[in-house]
Amino acid sequence: NYGYMELCNYGLQFFGNYSYNQRHVPESSKVIDRLGGNAEVARMFEVSSQAVSKWRRDGIPKSRLMYLRLAKPHVFEPDERTAARAEAG
């Protein structure tokens, strides 16, 4: 198993300078919801749920995002409704 910092370092190498925050704030909220909400994400990262609320508003911090992309890639997959709308045109 990889530790948090090892995954972050790997994420830096793999994802490079991927910028998520301001342009993807609505997606931040979706990701937090898919992970179980503010309280669950706060427990996962050992931060307050107020901090996670701020992530909803300002975007998930880059280092946390890289960890999530490696540890929980399923939360970044588009949901079935979004895919169906995209196919419908």
Side-chain angles (χ1 to χ4, degrees), residues 20-22 24-25 28 54-62:
Y20 182 83
N21 287 342
Q22 289 300 324
H24 297 89
V25 171
S28 296
K54 186 177 177 195
W55 296 356
R56 285 184 184 269
R57 185 188 70 224
D58 299 337
I60 298 170
K62 188 174 175 181

Side-chain angles (χ1 to χ4, degrees), residues 10-76:
Y10 174 77
L12 283 170
Q13 294 169 7
F14 186 76
F15 293 108
N17 243 350
Y18 183 74
S19 177
Y20 182 83
N21 287 342
Q22 289 300 324
R23 294 179 302 156
H24 297 89
V25 171
E27 286 86 351
S28 296
S29 198
K30 288 179 189 175
V31 166
I32 292 166
D33 288 340
R34 288 177 180 172
L35 288 167
N38 286 21
E40 186 59 34
V41 174
R43 271 191 290 280
M44 183 184 306
F45 288 108
E46 297 179 357
V47 298
S48 68
S49 71
Q50 291 86 351
V52 178
S53 292
K54 186 177 177 195
W55 296 356
R56 285 184 184 269
R57 185 188 70 224
D58 299 337
I60 298 170
K62 188 174 175 181
S63 62
R64 309 292 187 164
L65 181 67
M66 287 188 293
Y67 170 80
L68 290 172
R69 285 193 172 279
L70 293 168
K72 310 260 184 201
H74 65 280
V75 301
F76 295 93

Side-chain angles (χ1 to χ4, degrees), residues 30 34 78-89:
K30 288 179 189 175
R34 288 177 180 172
D79 63 20
E80 294 168 15
R81 287 173 283 153
T82 303
R85 275 185 270 164
E87 288 177 13

